[in-house]
Amino acid sequence: MPVKVSVVIPVYNPGNYIEDCVASLRRQSLPPDEFEAIFVDDGSTDDTPARLDALAAEVENMTVIHQEASGWSGKPRNVGIEASQGEFVMFVDNDDYLGDEALERMYDYAVANGADVVVGKMAGQGRGVPVELFRRNHPRATVDNAPLIDSLTPHKMFRRAFLDRIGLRFPEGRRRLEDHVFVTEAYLRADNVSVLSDYVCYYHLKRDDASNAGFQRFDPVGYFANLREALDVVEKYTEPGPTRDRLFRRWLRNEMVERMRGRRLLAAPEDYRKELFTEIRGVVVERFGPGVAAGLQPTQQVVAALIADGRLDDLVAFAEWEASVASVVEPDGVEWDGGVLRVGLSAELASGGTPMTFPAEGSSAPLTEPPASVAEAVDRVGAHSVAGFKRATVDLLLRERSSSAQYFQPVEFTRETVPAQDGRVRLVLRGTAALDPATAADGGPLGAGLWDVFVRVKLGGWTKQSRLGPVSLRGRTAADAGVAGGRVVLPYWTAKQGTLALDVDMAGERLKLGRVTPGEVTVTGDRVEVPVPFHVPGDTPVLLKLTGGSGAAPAKEVPGTLRPQGSAALLEAVLPVGDLTGGAWRVALSPAPGAEEPRFHPLPFTLRVKGGSVQVVAVRSPRRPAAGQPLVRRARRLAGKLVRRLRARAG
């Protein structure tokens, strides 16, 4: 069968980090005879070459190419392209991994849309990834109708015939931003680019040893010389005007302005800070016209203007002020409503830990010349924030703790201008997010695991993302568990930070089933009713498991129903009374029996049949040792050992 996808993995001394990459390739839903994995070992000096040779001998669709060290990823990727047999080529780094269905989904999406390039949704573990690009699917994306330029890493799928037709390959040698040059040209010359946002295809990992190539300190002279090559590509394939300015703005914003502002600038050693500033200013003055900076946010415009004006000291002073700015997001109620978890929140900016205030009247006048002082720059940002408040937004994202996959949730919000002292105002966003467990993962159900709640605020020229909270109820539940979308979802406040998180199909004691008392259990004939602390949107099928009885009686599974009853639920089931003989039967409840791995939670009572009627008997909780008892027992054991040793010596 023809190979659909060739996965090219440049490899250099990954150690154990390559194991996740290999495992994800072996888990692909695309059949092994429809894709190949080509590992290009770029002169590794650890045990990776032998590991790859053993893998290639074991797995038919995996091969390895060994070559002398080239110093960077460009040459091994090019070698992989030349060796590839697939209709498409997918680039993966040796310390990252793919979603299980990534190759199949991306290939099918490419074929369906006639794409030369497919950009799959990314998740970053300790690494930043584009957020706005993946709000929705873009079957026919361009640099004009989608923020493609925000994603310039090479971890995408490219049609091999397209790469050959335009002669596109990676720049080689020890250098930076070779992926920017490659991907930018691909975007600008492709017949179509498709963005797949409803499935996490690629997982970026920041290594614990921080040895990812992109995380190492760089030489500013060489770095910005390489950056100019990416700008050359833009100039070659675009005309002067808004599109070129918008593309250039990506490098001005990400590679220059962001290095010269806030905590990032303050953290740089003074000598290195000066080196960066000199090289950045050279590019800004040499390559960027006024239209490039004009599209930046107000704070970024100020930084760009100070760079162009050669004022490093004022940049540092402005960075010190900006470093004090953060978003403050407070929860305002967490409750279930018809199977949907509604989370209220309010958000605003704070400076130095206190709410920021702004002038009552705003101004959107463009920045035509650098501010005369840092104080003037701060005032200008404040005036622009008020004028642009009508465009301020708040988003809520769910992020899976284990994988960092994140998903936007719908939020309805209002913008409020709140009076403050001295005639100034506060700018506050108030909203309610709707989290539906059945559709929260881009239209699909949330997977089992722990999910943290983040709030993304765009206000006053800043984009600030933070956890929702903190509150003083650390470790407490935020609402009863809900059974919705085939999942058991428990909202809770994290123990360390007091921020909102969701436990999906993982909770045990926190479900509070242990609080059910035998007196609340009603048995009428063969029908049992038990109030339980769950929210259900309507009649919900569940499963009971009865175990015990006499001897080795097999467990009995009994279907049941959870029905809404006020703010809780009533468990109803018909018991097989005739089969419940020979002693007490323990009862466990599976609220989501259709889950991939259904869990049964014990209820604190047993059932016993006598004379044809069912009795409910409480189960005693295991007695916990009093505080200090374990220490006392340990001290006694140590004392006993010491006495025995002394006696042995005396004997």
Side-chain angles (χ1 to χ4, degrees):
M1 180 172 289
V3 176
K4 293 179 177 178
V5 183
S6 297
V7 184
V8 174
I9 309 102
V11 178
Y12 180 73
N13 286 356
N16 290 332
Y17 289 95
I18 200 171
E19 297 304 330
D20 285 341
C21 177
V22 171
S24 75
L25 290 167
R26 301 187 75 163
R27 290 195 306 266
Q28 287 303 298
S29 60
L30 192 66
D33 62 345
E34 295 183 12
F35 80 95
E36 62 178 352
I38 304 171
F39 295 88
V40 184
D41 172 37
D42 197 46
S44 293
T45 57
D46 61 4
D47 60 358
T48 300
R51 167 73 177 96
L52 292 178
D53 287 339
L55 179 68
E58 174 190 355
V59 184
E60 188 174 352
N61 69 333
M62 297 187 181
T63 61
V64 57
I65 299 172
H66 298 285
Q67 64 179 33
E68 293 184 2
S70 67
W72 212 250
S73 300
K75 183 173 181 179
R77 289 193 185 113
N78 288 341
V79 169
I81 294 173
E82 298 306 322
S84 67
Q85 302 178 57
E87 183 182 354
F88 286 85
V89 178
M90 175 81 192
F91 297 106
V92 176
D93 281 353
N94 61 195
D95 38 26
D96 297 334
Y97 65 94
L98 295 171
D100 293 355
E101 301 173 21
L103 297 183
E104 182 178 17
R105 285 178 178 249
M106 293 176 75
Y107 176 84
D108 289 346
Y109 199 60
V111 172
N113 295 293
D116 289 328
V117 183
V118 179
V119 185
K121 183 173 182 175
M122 306 173 191
Q125 298 180 2
R127 302 187 63 168
V129 296
V131 176
E132 298 299 327
L133 178 60
F134 300 116
R135 279 185 177 270
R136 62 177 180 85
N137 285 345
H138 297 269
R140 301 196 66 81
T142 69
V143 293
D144 290 311
N145 67 18
L148 282 176
I149 203 65
D150 288 350
S151 178
L152 292 180
T153 62
H155 314 112
K156 300 163 178 58
M157 191 175 284
F158 300 86
R159 189 182 295 272
R160 169 68 192 273
F162 162 68
L163 298 180
D164 290 343
R165 173 169 57 82
I166 68 172
L168 183 58
R169 295 294 188 269
F170 288 90
E172 297 184 2
R174 187 166 182 80
R175 47 162 298 129
R176 293 277 182 163
L177 305 181
E178 82 291 342
D179 46 358
H180 288 205
V181 175
F182 182 93
V183 176
T184 300
E185 183 169 347
Y187 285 160
L188 294 174
R189 300 186 69 184
D191 289 337
N192 184 40
V193 179
S194 295
V195 179
L196 177 63
S197 300
D198 58 8
Y199 180 79
V200 180
C201 299
Y202 196 92
Y203 292 85
H204 286 276
L205 270 67
K206 181 179 180 180
R207 289 168 57 158
D208 295 335
D209 58 6
S211 62
N212 308 69
F215 279 82
Q216 298 168 17
R217 179 167 163 170
F218 61 82
D219 164 40
V221 174
Y223 187 91
F224 289 101
N226 295 153
L227 185 146
R228 286 177 171 88
E229 296 176 39
L231 302 181
D232 291 341
V233 171
V234 175
E235 289 187 343
K236 182 175 181 179
Y237 295 106
T238 64
E239 297 296 328
T243 295
R244 179 180 293 180
D245 286 346
R246 184 169 56 255
L247 297 178
F248 275 179
R249 193 173 300 134
R250 185 266 174 220
W251 284 278
L252 174 60
R253 179 184 65 241
N254 290 28
E255 308 297 336
M256 302 177 202
V257 166
E258 290 302 316
R259 297 182 190 277
M260 290 284 109
R261 66 184 292 211
R263 290 186 174 86
R264 193 169 180 182
L265 176 63
L266 300 177
E270 188 173 353
D271 58 340
Y272 188 58
R273 185 188 298 170
K274 290 179 179 178
E275 277 189 84
L276 280 173
F277 175 75
T278 299
E279 293 304 316
I280 287 172
R281 183 171 184 269
V283 178
V284 170
V285 173
E286 169 194 327
R287 302 296 290 267
F288 298 150
V292 179
L296 295 173
Q297 296 290 349
T299 50
Q300 296 169 336
Q301 287 187 31
V302 166
V303 173
L306 293 175
I307 291 172
D309 209 33
R311 292 159 56 185
L312 178 56
D313 290 343
D314 281 348
L315 277 172
V316 174
F318 189 73
E320 290 172 345
W321 171 73
E322 253 203 299
S324 73
V325 176
S327 62
V328 176
V329 184
E330 297 182 351
D332 184 21
V334 179
E335 61 182 9
W336 288 100
D337 177 17
V340 174
L341 187 67
R342 300 198 180 277
V343 179
L345 59 91
S346 63
E348 63 182 309
L349 295 178
S351 178
T354 60
M356 284 184 70
T357 62
F358 302 84
E361 297 294 329
S363 171
S364 57
L367 183 65
T368 56
E369 58 184 23
S373 65
V374 173
E376 180 184 315
V378 173
D379 290 343
R380 176 179 288 276
V381 169
H384 270 267
S385 299
V386 175
F389 189 43
K390 59 183 177 293
R391 295 187 297 275
T393 60
V394 59
D395 288 299
L396 186 142
L397 296 96
L398 288 181
R399 181 183 297 174
E400 188 179 21
R401 195 173 296 175
S402 64
S403 70
S404 296
Q406 58 186 11
Y407 303 95
F408 283 96
Q409 306 302 308
V411 180
E412 294 183 357
F413 66 91
T414 59
R415 306 176 183 93
E416 297 183 16
T417 302
V418 180
Q421 294 180 343
D422 302 325
R424 293 172 70 83
V425 297
R426 291 162 52 197
L427 305 179
V428 182
L429 296 163
R430 303 190 194 280
T432 301
L435 282 64
D436 184 346
T439 60
D442 279 338
L446 292 177
L450 302 180
W451 295 78
D452 293 307
V453 177
F454 285 82
V455 177
R456 184 177 176 86
V457 177
K458 289 186 177 180
L459 194 165
W462 288 278
T463 298
K464 300 287 186 180
Q465 185 164 299
S466 60
R467 301 279 290 272
L468 180 57
V471 300
S472 59
L473 302 174
R474 291 181 174 85
R476 305 284 188 87
T477 56
D480 282 342
V483 183
R487 300 290 187 270
V488 180
V489 180
L490 178 68
Y492 71 98
W493 306 108
T494 58
K496 289 185 178 180
Q497 298 173 318
T499 54
L500 186 62
L502 305 182
D503 181 316
V504 179
D505 286 341
M506 300 286 287
E509 291 185 3
R510 286 192 298 193
L511 294 179
K512 303 178 183 177
L513 292 174
R515 296 184 182 181
V516 176
T517 63
E520 297 175 295
V521 182
T522 301
V523 180
T524 305
D526 60 357
R527 190 175 191 84
V528 63
E529 294 182 346
V530 186
V532 289
F534 286 139
H535 167 85
V536 289
D539 288 359
T540 303
V542 297
L543 196 63
L544 293 177
K545 180 182 287 186
L546 309 180
T547 56
S550 61
K556 305 183 187 305
E557 293 191 348
V558 180
T561 304
L562 289 179
R563 302 187 190 282
Q565 186 182 62
S567 60
L570 185 67
L571 167 63
E572 298 179 351
V574 176
L575 300 171
V577 175
D579 296 334
L580 301 182
T581 59
W585 291 81
R586 295 185 296 274
V587 185
L589 169 65
S590 177
E596 187 173 333
E597 295 183 9
R599 302 183 69 194
F600 283 87
H601 304 276
L603 296 175
F605 60 86
T606 62
L607 301 176
R608 188 186 297 267
V609 177
K610 282 190 176 182
S613 64
V614 180
Q615 297 179 349
V616 181
V617 181
V619 174
R620 293 184 179 181
S621 300
R623 185 177 178 181
R624 295 184 178 181
Q629 282 188 358
L631 292 177
V632 171
R633 286 197 295 267
R634 184 181 179 191
R636 287 174 178 170
R637 285 196 299 271
L638 293 175
K641 288 182 179 179
L642 180 60
V643 169
R644 286 192 294 273
R645 287 176 183 172
L646 292 174
R647 287 176 177 173
R649 290 177 183 175

